[in-house]
Amino acid sequence: MRFRAALIAILAVVTLTSGKSQPVSKSLNAKAISFVNDVVPVLTRTGCNQGTCHGAAVGKNGFRLTLRGYAPELDYYYITRELTGRRICKAAPETSLFLRKPLLEVPHMGGQVIRRNSPEYRILADWLAQGAPGPGPNDSHVVALKVVPPQRIARPKQQINFRVYAKFSDGSTRDVTHWTRFATNDENVATVKPDGAVTIAGEGETAITAGYQSSVAIARVTSPYPYKIDPKAYPTLQRSNFIDEHVYRKLRTLNLWPSERSSDAQFARRLYLDLLGTLPAPSEIESFCADRNPQKRAKLIDALMSRPEFVDFWTYKWCDLFRVNRGTLKDKGMWAFYAYLHDAVRTNKPWNVLCGEVLTSTGNTFLDGPANYFRTALKPEELAENISQGFLGIRVGCAHCHNHPLEKWTQNDYYGMANIFARVKWKADLGIYVNEEMTVYNAPEGDLIQPRLGKPMPPTPLGSARLTVDRSNDRRKAFAEWLSRPDNWYFSHCIVNRVWKHFMGVGLVEQVDDLRETNPPTNPELFDALAADLVKHGYDLRHLMRTIARSQVYQLSSAPNSRNARDDRYFSRYFVRRLTAEEILDAVGQVTGVPEQFPGMPPGYRALQLPDTHVKSEFMDSFGRPPRQITCECERTQEPSMTQALLFINGDMVNNKVTADGGLADRLVTANKPDDEIIDTLYLTALGRKPAAPERKSGLAAIHRAILNFKIEPSVSKTSTVASVAVTSSAPPKSNDKTIQLPNSPITQSPNNPQQARRRAFEDLLWVLVNSKEFLFNH
């Protein structure tokens, strides 16, 4: 050891005299350098411990660090002990590779990342000169992070400077702006530089994220739209409940003006789809539009929520969330879980009670429906991730291997959460492994080991204190009690966000199951008010749905006006959404009068009555039906594809239903209804409204032309006679051009008589309506 120290000293002299390095001396006024609070932030600032550099799982070029310093004790070991400690030299600190490589005084593939006399250099040099002290149990840690100012209103091209302050456990506060990672949630609104300088790029609102060590904080930047609106006009807007108050206040801040109120026909179609997943019948629309009761919309909401279709529809939605599928649960388990959820929706079981029963369930999975939830994930880590994302809206999976890069959750938080479910066990009652029925039970002992520390973390819900377990030793019961506590922000806000997005087309937080500090809601005050109201009313989801549906905001038109056309998240109008795969298939069957027949199901069964998504249907799979294998909302896709277009234009399923004997067009023609009445019925059935005057005129002309052509020469045309009929959309998705251009109808069977020619013409018209955007979207 003496020889090694002497050799290092000699090498240091040689190096210094060669001019390749300069001595590092400890300043008399230098403060004590903390490895955790000074050195690690330097490594983060310079990018050394990022995933693209030494923070990668296997490191880079033989040197590794933990991602963003989530485990300082490991970083200290890698720097000072790995490779016999060759990276630092306490006898001659200025020769340390740990200092010389980032200075590029010796070859470094990462290039020069610090400069002499910079704050980064001074910290590393002083730390080495002080003997490279490591992390200790008495190190202070960050307890709070604050961005100043927390909110700013600015105009495009204006610049704002933010400062970040960290409060430590020893009571001190430090300006950590220089060591903070900054990011913007929307570069179209604002961009941010590494020093926290923000430039406003456009109108809207975004969050500026500040990250220091494992803490994060945000500042909100608002840039109002340049529309000319009299502020005195906002108080005159009609309000039904607190939702309207909060939304209109946000619109005023952003200088947006809401669209006009939807028509009765638009509202009825929208509400039927949102509450029942089905289209209203023509008679239901006409009756509703003719009603002169000023409270008819509120009455319709209550009436639809009492129908059996409501129970079927919302059972189907919760089956998505709980991943009810026979591939995992087997047929009997799937039916048992479905029956439990169906009964819970029918009886309006409070959401906290339903979730508590599921998360504490035990028993035979073929007999006890909710016990099947623990068959969907057999490891405590999987359960922790699924439960966190499904019921709390927290995507904690990143913390499985390291601290979350975008959030405050640490690896210890992850394993504390997972350890809650470490005693959930199962056994196969028959057969081998899980191919038959299973029994879920709670073991009296057992813990999940945190692999980095080699010991279990105390069972602790995310963001809470350690659980106090009762005599039953079932940690899940204590967790369920914590879950539905009134002050559990994530639980109430998570379900509010899911329901809000269903009704409004866009979540208050997007993605809907990604609630985190760095992904703030577009309207925090409304978000909190909705959650508080849900808790106040005992987690009654029907009350939440009723509150949303009765608001004036929900009842706005989907058509943009000149003062909100660029709004895509602040609810100045109703945001259109494409129908789900199941809704589309049911709607095609309803409009054509030919319901789909599902294998193994009774005639007349709707897609939204199916117990799971394993009933074969290539049509629904093409339109994004989820396999129910993961908890993420992203499993259900709404992206358009060429396959979807072809299924409607040329697909046998749609065309056979449109032209079926006994179908809607056939029945109307056979009953010898007048042409204009049939056209009205087709439009009401498919689009929920009567045709506009130009639509009726062009439709009648096409029908008469088809009959006239047959009389002149029966074989004159074997294709569509009305494929050019325009459909005036009430919900143009992107522009004011409301004419939808469609290809020719593929219906090619030649008519044999004038009556059949008339039927073919109306079938063509029905085909056009089913192929329109207005049919495929809820607006």
Side-chain angles (χ1 to χ4, degrees), residues 637-652:
T637 61
Q638 294 287 87
E639 294 299 318
S641 69
M642 183 60 68
T643 301
Q644 296 169 6
L646 292 175
L647 283 172
F648 264 86
I649 296 172
N650 294 317
D652 290 339

Side-chain angles (χ1 to χ4, degrees), residues 379-385 387-388 396 400 411-424 446-450 457-462 475-476 479:
K379 296 181 179 180
E381 297 96 327
E382 294 175 350
L383 284 169
E385 293 179 20
I387 291 168
S388 296
V396 75
H400 186 190
Q411 191 180 34
N412 288 348
D413 292 332
Y414 177 94
Y415 279 93
M417 177 73 173
N419 203 20
I420 296 172
F421 309 100
R423 297 179 179 179
V424 179
D447 285 299
L448 180 66
I449 301 299
Q450 210 274 39
M457 292 291 100
T460 308
L462 293 173
R475 296 166 175 174
R476 297 176 302 158
F479 175 79

Side-chain angles (χ1 to χ4, degrees), residues 160 179 380 464 474 478-479 489 521:
I160 306 169
W179 311 108
S464 181
D474 192 342
F479 175 79
W489 188 94

Side-chain angles (χ1 to χ4, degrees), residues 694-710:
E695 293 171 327
R696 179 180 281 106
K697 181 179 180 181
S698 61
L700 287 171
I703 303 301
H704 297 159
R705 187 165 56 250
I707 298 174
L708 179 62
N709 286 344
F710 179 84

Side-chain angles (χ1 to χ4, degrees), residues 462-484:
L462 293 173
S464 181
R466 177 178 178 176
L467 291 178
T468 301
V469 182
D470 61 16
R471 292 181 180 179
S472 69
N473 208 31
D474 192 342
R475 296 166 175 174
R476 297 176 302 158
K477 292 183 178 180
F479 175 79
E481 292 174 1
W482 166 84
L483 195 69
S484 60

